[in-house]
């Protein structure tokens, strides 16, 4: 996407959540995670690339010992519609016998996070909990629910705060929705 096209897209997008609302939601979510995992020395796994911004804001709010690693599994690539799951990187840290917290940007249809959870359990994780910044209210029956959700978003294509549109705008401090057609 050209810089001009990206700027035009943002100029025509609708603000869904400003930065202040997101930061408040992350602080509240961190409190719930802390209540659940503070005594367990969990392994926190960031799902790349979308989860990196959320994870970077969440980790400093978790005031207990934890280990950190990442994984990269995606259904999107440069597309706006999900396809087949692509495993690009498994975590380097062993999950065997561990409480694992998977941190991702969005729970959309749940296919990717279901595959991630199942894979980690097969690798011997004692438990796998999911934390997402946003849960998309798409009206579909999802195969999985997140254990910790910051915010909900409407059934629209959203971007910002880690979520991209055609590879751009992950760096926005707020969440936007693309302009609806028609």
């Amino acid at each position: 996407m050209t810089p001009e096209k990206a700027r035009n897209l943002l100029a025509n997008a609708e603000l869904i959540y400003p930065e202040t609302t997101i930061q408040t939601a992350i602080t509240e979510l961190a409190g719930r995670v802390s209540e659940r995992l503070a005594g367990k020395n969990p392994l926190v796994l960031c799902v790349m690339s979308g989860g990196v911004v959320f994870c970077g804001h969440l980790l400093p709010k978790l005031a207990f010992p934890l280990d950190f690693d990442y994984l990269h599994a995606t259904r999107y690539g440069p597309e706006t519609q999900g396809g087949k799951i692509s495993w690009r990187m498994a975590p380097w840290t062993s999950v065997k016998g561990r409480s694992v917290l998977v941190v991702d940007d969005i729970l959309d249809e749940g296919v990717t996070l279901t595959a991630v959870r199942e894979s980690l359990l097969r690798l011997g994780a004692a438990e796998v909990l999911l934390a997402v910044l946003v849960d998309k209210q798409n009206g579909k029956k999802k195969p999985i629910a997140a254990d910790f959700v910051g915010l909900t978003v409407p059934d629209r294509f959203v971007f910002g705060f880690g979520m991209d549109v055609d590879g751009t705008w992950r760096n926005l401090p707020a969440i936007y929705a693309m302009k609806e057609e028609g």
Side-chain angles (χ1 to χ4, degrees):
M1 178 178 301
T2 66
E4 181 180 334
K5 185 176 178 185
R7 286 186 191 94
N8 187 51
L9 186 141
L10 180 59
N12 289 298
E14 177 186 348
L15 176 66
I16 302 297
Y17 290 113
E19 181 177 11
T20 54
T21 301
I22 296 168
Q23 292 301 330
T24 298
I26 293 171
T27 299
E28 291 171 359
L29 186 146
R32 294 190 306 272
V33 169
S34 294
E35 286 176 21
R36 177 70 172 78
L37 292 174
K40 297 199 174 198
N41 190 34
L43 171 61
V44 176
L45 293 176
C46 179
V47 179
M48 299 305 248
S49 294
V52 73
V53 175
F54 172 43
C55 197
H57 285 260
L58 177 65
L59 286 177
K61 296 179 185 311
L62 302 177
F64 55 84
L66 57 86
D67 291 329
F68 175 78
D69 202 345
Y70 69 96
L71 62 89
H72 195 167
T74 183
R75 289 181 55 226
Y76 291 91
E79 307 302 320
T80 59
Q81 301 265 337
K84 184 178 177 184
I85 293 176
S86 170
W87 286 91
R88 298 184 181 166
M89 180 63 68
W92 287 90
T93 307
S94 173
V95 301
K96 190 171 177 93
R98 301 288 304 267
S99 291
V100 178
L101 177 66
V102 176
V103 178
D104 204 359
D105 55 354
I106 186 169
L107 176 57
D108 193 338
E109 293 181 8
V111 176
T112 303
L113 286 175
T114 297
V116 166
R117 176 182 262 165
E118 289 172 356
S119 177
L120 295 171
L121 289 170
R122 274 194 310 275
L123 291 171
E127 66 178 335
V128 178
L129 302 172
L130 304 175
V132 296
L133 176 60
V134 298
D135 187 351
K136 185 181 280 190
Q137 303 300 293
N138 58 18
K140 298 177 183 176
K141 182 164 173 44
K142 299 177 185 182
I144 199 165
D147 300 283
F148 308 99
V149 176
L151 300 161
T152 59
V153 292
D155 189 18
R156 295 177 57 194
F157 191 91
V158 293
F159 62 96
F161 217 90
M163 298 169 282
D164 73 302
V165 56
D166 200 16
T168 194
W169 289 132
R170 286 189 196 276
N171 56 308
L172 292 171
I175 297 173
Y176 295 83
M178 289 178 63
K179 185 176 183 177
E180 292 189 280
E181 300 297 319

